[in-house]
Amino acid sequence: MIERRSKILRHRVLFVEDDLGSASAAGRAAQLLKTELELNDVDVVGAPSLADAKGLFLSDAGLHGILLDWTLGGGEDAPHAEAMALLDFIRSRNEKIPVFLLTDREKGSGLSEEVLSQVSELVWLMEDSAPFVGGRIQAAVKSYAKKLLGPMASALIEFDLVHEYSWHTPGHTGGTAFQKSPSGRLFYDYFGEAMFRSDLSVSVGELGSLLDHTGPIAEGERYAAKVFGAHRTYSVTNGTSTSNRIIWMACVGRGQKVWVDRNCHKSSEQGITLTGAEPCYLRTTRNRYGIIGPIPPENLREEILVEGGKPQHIVITNSTYDGLTYNVDRVLELVGGASDRIHFDEAWYAYARFHPLYRGRFAMRGEAKAHPADAPTIFATHSTHKLLAALSQASFIHIREGRRNIDHARFNESFMMHASTSPFYPIIASNDVSASMMDGKGGEVLVEESLREAVAFRQTVTRLWRRHDESGDWFFQTWNPKSVEDPGTGKRVAFEEASPDLLVREPSCWVLHPGDAWHGFELEDGYCMLDPIKVSVLTPGVEEDGTISEKGFPAALLTAYLDARGIVVEKTGDYAVLFLFSLGITNAKWSTLVHSLLAFKSDYDKNAPLEECIPSVAGNYPGMGLRDLAQKMQAVMKETGLLQAQGHAFAALPEQEMTPSESYQKLIAGEVEKIPVDKAAGRVAATGLVPYPPGIPMVMPGERLGTDGEPFLSYLRAIQNWDRLFPGFCHDTHGVESEDGVYNILVLK
Ligand SMILES: *Cc1c(COP(=O)(O)O)cnc(C)c1O
């Protein structure tokens, strides 16, 4: 017999009562209630004061109920300031948790409407019996906890607790197959019973079907649609990669014209190939740090988009990989007449709806019912696993039905084509939970916390930068305005002096205003806003006019240094490193990062040996220190004009010889060959070439690489040269196979 490891779900309540444990009558009654609850498997956490209660409420997300003494902090009579303060505090963060107010009949009858509307029930501690009150509390706590998970996740857990004998797949049947072998047993023991018991198949009718959208799974999708503001939502278990391809296959037919963000994810490129579409690309711009901007409004003008025929589909990445978000109303004003279907790839941006800072800057803005039937149909895709809390591969498709809406039955054909007939149920459940976590006040509280941490980090780094800068020294900067204006007072203050409240509440602090030097883009006012939680840390080395300075170093050096200290970054640009302040951020986590930035500065100043600070690459650079390597890298950046070459490569669009789909036909027929970049002049690429940084396709399949002197091959040769000079700091270019320092690419024969 194997002992049960997974915990039966237990409930826990916070008992806020200063008399608990005292010998007074009230203290004894409170103690009786506590014992009663504990006898019924409800854990009770005591809080004798307002401060304790606040602290426990903030730090323990496992509480399912609050018992609050109306006379907390003494004072039998009004104003009950402490209890009132706690009540307000709790309700500002959670409008649903059951709160039981402990009072007596006399005081209870005098309670104001304001108080009554915030509490779930009144408890006459001295008059009612402990089993009666305990039962009421238990029922409320249970019902609250059940709804917490969302429909599918709670059905899944309930099913797990019932324990059936299963004769269906998966063949491990709740984990028992693993227990018959030593390797299986080890695997089982590591992950624990709950995972295996909840790994079920579509044969379990109680949970409904993901492919038919029935039962609790469908309820979960309807719930997510409500939370995210869609008419319809689909839960997808193979990532937004699949979500995007589902939309593509549902919307676009062979040979149809589409406009696609050149800065699109690989999955949209695959959508083009799968559908056989004729793509046109929406060009983005890039700034002096090599950061890719949004598609400027002039590239979205209707007369451009409809030239040569109305596009079937338009794909826009929102936000960009560096956290630049669009004013969606303005985008729709521009493109809404050109196409009936607009697809916003918001893989990194599922949280936007839940905080007012982002208002109007995401696809599902406002309410679904306000979406006019003659407006375009809008799609949004969210990787819930990326910046909300869900398991890897969890993703949502949200739809606002408008012109040329695709009804469910037709859309589902594409959904089923891309979905597995054996989805992993915990992934679906985690989508449910991600929606539930964002529902109501909880969502705003979570996003606000990320914003506050990001702002605190940015202000801390900016303060350090300012101090060094004033003494003619360098330090890292965060990419954001140097000063902001408070629209309330009209006063301009230094960024690091601005009140955090202003920065987390006021979008104009983050908008790319025309003429502001910090962002380096030319865009109309209000069109684009930097998302504060996507933090780019800039390394020194680029002047305001874009020239490479004598001093400084590329971001890759900082990334390698941080990596050696166990800090893994999201993305490394040329002179910018991106950090995500996702829901899991803590003060301790970003403080460690600040500490490491300071350590880098100190190691740079004393030219610490590479063996000490980046041991993994030190062997390639014998005898060199951190500053030596920085200087060598910067000199090469300056001499070879690498950043400039990149600018040229991304300013031009290659000539399209054939569609990605036609090119793919040649690939599968083997009509391709691998050749070195130096011999690729005039050839046609067989696969997309995507250099990181900046991480957008430079050449798509079926596009011409141009002559040796033209920007595409020049840039590839420049980074090939860099990689030879700086082992350990090589570029990662999708579509390029690097062998002994030679870049090889696949071209059509
Ligand atoms: C990550 C990403 C995707 C793919 O999402 P997965 O959930 O990893 O499959 C799609 N689009 C964009 C813009 C992304 O960044």
Side-chain angles (χ1 to χ4, degrees), residues 238-242 244 265 267 317 321 345 347-348 383 385-386:
N238 312 73
T240 296
S241 304
T242 299
N244 284 340
H265 185 257
S267 52
T317 313
Y321 292 95
D345 183 344
W348 290 97
S383 291
H385 67 92
K386 278 185 176 164

Side-chain angles (χ1 to χ4, degrees), residues 224-245:
K226 191 171 83 87
V227 173
F228 287 91
H231 282 123
R232 269 188 285 150
T233 287
Y234 293 84
S235 192
V236 177
T237 60
N238 312 73
T240 296
S241 304
T242 299
S243 297
N244 284 340
R245 291 190 295 254

Side-chain angles (χ1 to χ4, degrees), residues 367-624:
E367 294 309 316
K369 61 177 185 291
H371 190 71
D374 63 351
T377 291
I378 309 286
F379 298 92
T381 49
H382 289 163
S383 291
T384 40
H385 67 92
K386 278 185 176 164
L387 282 163
L388 298 184
L391 296 177
S392 283
Q393 300 192 10
S395 170
F396 277 131
I397 297 171
H398 303 295
I399 304 176
R400 283 267 173 94
E401 299 174 349
R403 289 198 314 267
R404 293 187 63 225
N405 170 43
I406 302 169
D407 62 36
H408 167 69
R410 281 199 296 143
F411 191 81
N412 205 41
E413 285 301 310
S414 178
F415 181 92
M416 290 191 292
M417 195 182 302
H418 292 273
S420 164
T421 45
S422 320
F424 187 49
Y425 279 44
I427 296 181
I428 311 174
S430 78
N431 251 349
D432 241 31
V433 173
S434 77
S436 176
M437 282 175 72
M438 303 318 283
D439 196 3
K441 293 248 166 64
E444 183 170 339
V445 168
L446 285 171
V447 180
E448 171 106 4
E449 217 164 282
S450 282
L451 283 167
R452 288 204 177 266
E453 298 296 351
V455 161
F457 172 76
R458 286 173 183 272
Q459 290 192 309
T460 304
V461 173
T462 307
R463 249 175 244 124
L464 288 164
W465 167 78
R466 187 86 67 186
R467 224 175 48 218
H468 284 93
D469 190 59
E470 278 166 4
S471 59
D473 199 358
W474 70 269
F475 194 68
F476 301 98
Q477 298 181 55
T478 52
W479 187 54
N480 46 244
K482 291 275 181 299
S483 65
V484 294
E485 188 181 303
D486 182 342
T489 61
K491 279 212 187 91
R492 204 158 246 295
V493 284
F495 177 82
E496 68 276 21
E497 306 291 329
S499 104
D501 287 339
L502 175 71
L503 293 175
V504 301
R505 289 277 146 190
E506 184 45 58
S508 76
C509 293
W510 304 95
V511 162
L512 275 59
H513 300 294
D516 283 357
W518 68 273
H519 55 76
F521 292 106
E522 279 170 41
L523 295 164
E524 63 186 44
D525 204 10
Y527 181 72
C528 177
M529 181 184 93
L530 173 65
D531 180 351
I533 76 160
K534 312 226 167 103
V535 183
S536 293
V537 169
L538 304 177
T539 58
V542 187
E543 306 284 353
E544 224 162 66
D545 65 0
T547 54
I548 302 296
S549 39
E550 292 292 330
K551 284 196 176 152
F553 49 89
L557 189 62
L558 173 62
T559 296
Y561 182 90
L562 294 175
D563 192 62
R565 299 172 73 96
I567 295 177
V568 182
V569 312
E570 174 57 32
K571 178 173 89 87
T572 308
D574 295 283
Y575 285 89
V577 181
L578 182 71
F579 298 90
L580 295 178
F581 278 59
S582 53
L583 298 187
I585 192 71
T586 58
N587 183 297
K589 187 167 152 188
W590 70 253
S591 300
T592 307
L593 177 56
V594 172
H595 185 78
S596 298
L597 294 177
L598 285 163
F600 184 107
K601 172 78 169 102
S602 144
D603 281 345
Y604 176 95
D605 286 346
K606 59 177 189 259
N607 197 21
L610 286 173
E611 289 90 30
E612 280 172 24
C613 46
I614 319 180
S616 62
V617 302
N620 298 315
Y621 307 93
M624 285 176 83

Side-chain angles (χ1 to χ4, degrees), residues 636 639-640 642 714-727 731 741 743:
V636 170
E639 267 164 42
T640 59
L642 199 77
S714 300
Y715 184 59
L716 283 179
R717 281 197 317 274
I719 54 179
Q720 172 183 260
N721 177 49
W722 169 278
D723 289 4
R724 288 175 187 163
L725 289 172
F726 296 105
H731 289 78
Y743 273 19

